[in-house]
Amino acid sequence: NGFSWYKGQYHLFYQYNPYDTVWGPMHWGHAVSDDLLHWRYLPAALAPDEAYDKDGCFSGSAVTMPDGRQMLIYTGVVRELDDQGVRRGLQRQCVAIGDGLNYEKIDSNPILTVENLPEGANKYEFRDPKIWQETDGTYRMVTCCANHGREARIVMFSSLDGQKWSRGKVLIRNNGRFG
């Protein structure tokens, strides 16, 4: 997650359960390196400690903001019962901003929910945000999502500040051709 170059170091974030060796409440572990060979482990960058991500801080990405801070975007998960009574993870996109060591989640989280997705999208299949900044300063993000038939889609969003995002537009659909 969020593999990036920031303040003269490589930053690697990874899904991490600090309480056990099995799947659990996912955090973002954090390591830094000057040379990609020697790594120093830092405290977890993200923990599932808010109502909108209480069951996990899952995959995402990172970008350096114009003011020099680093923005992490990640999939926040809350487990709930679906219409058939199956416990599933409600997925939405969230932001934390920091200095390379300490990160704070923004007050307006989650920044993207099923309401931002194209019609027919499944709120349990909306994850893996990848963010970048265009030369004009606009942020772009792609995520994967699915409809209720589990047909996969890649959806793109845009933002001027990284916190308020446009309604998503489908870039590509799998149309049953691949996973």
Side-chain angles (χ1 to χ4, degrees):
N1 301 322
F3 183 65
S4 55
W5 175 258
Y6 180 67
K7 290 189 175 178
Q9 292 185 307
Y10 296 98
H11 287 254
L12 178 65
F13 303 93
Y14 52 93
Q15 291 179 353
Y16 170 58
N17 177 359
Y19 310 113
D20 205 339
T21 58
V22 298
W23 196 259
M26 287 301 136
H27 293 56
W28 270 32
H30 187 189
V32 295
S33 174
D34 296 323
D35 60 9
L36 295 176
L37 295 173
H38 304 93
W39 291 89
R40 183 169 50 97
Y41 291 91
L42 300 176
L46 297 173
D49 57 4
E50 298 290 341
Y52 52 80
D53 67 8
K54 69 183 181 80
D55 293 313
C57 298
F58 286 85
S59 64
S61 58
V63 67
T64 301
M65 300 170 63
D67 66 4
R69 296 178 298 162
Q70 188 176 44
M71 181 189 319
L72 307 181
I73 187 153
Y74 67 98
T75 303
V77 174
V78 175
R79 301 241 181 252
E80 67 177 21
L81 295 178
D82 69 10
D83 296 339
Q84 286 76 43
V86 176
R87 194 162 177 79
R88 302 201 45 206
L90 171 64
Q91 299 174 349
R92 43 224 164 147
Q93 307 318 308
C94 305
V95 166
I97 297 174
D99 61 5
L101 182 59
N102 298 300
Y103 294 87
E104 291 187 26
K105 296 173 186 175
I106 63 172
D107 292 338
S108 56
N109 277 330
I111 52 133
L112 290 171
T113 66
V114 71
E115 287 79 24
N116 301 97
L117 288 170
E119 188 174 332
N122 184 336
K123 64 185 178 179
Y124 303 114
E125 302 289 344
F126 174 36
R127 58 181 167 268
D128 307 326
K130 304 301 178 235
I131 188 172
W132 69 94
Q133 192 171 32
E134 297 285 352
T135 56
D136 69 358
T138 304
Y139 292 98
R140 299 271 192 253
M141 179 191 345
V142 291
T143 66
C144 61
C145 71
N147 66 10
H148 290 284
R150 296 185 53 93
E151 175 189 81
R153 303 170 181 182
I154 301 296
V155 179
M156 185 158 76
F157 303 88
S158 63
S159 172
L160 297 176
D161 64 3
Q163 296 182 27
K164 295 178 185 82
W165 291 85
S166 66
R167 183 167 184 83
K169 295 178 183 173
V170 176
L171 293 181
I172 191 170
R173 302 170 195 267
N174 76 349
N175 296 322
R177 294 175 296 177
F178 42 85

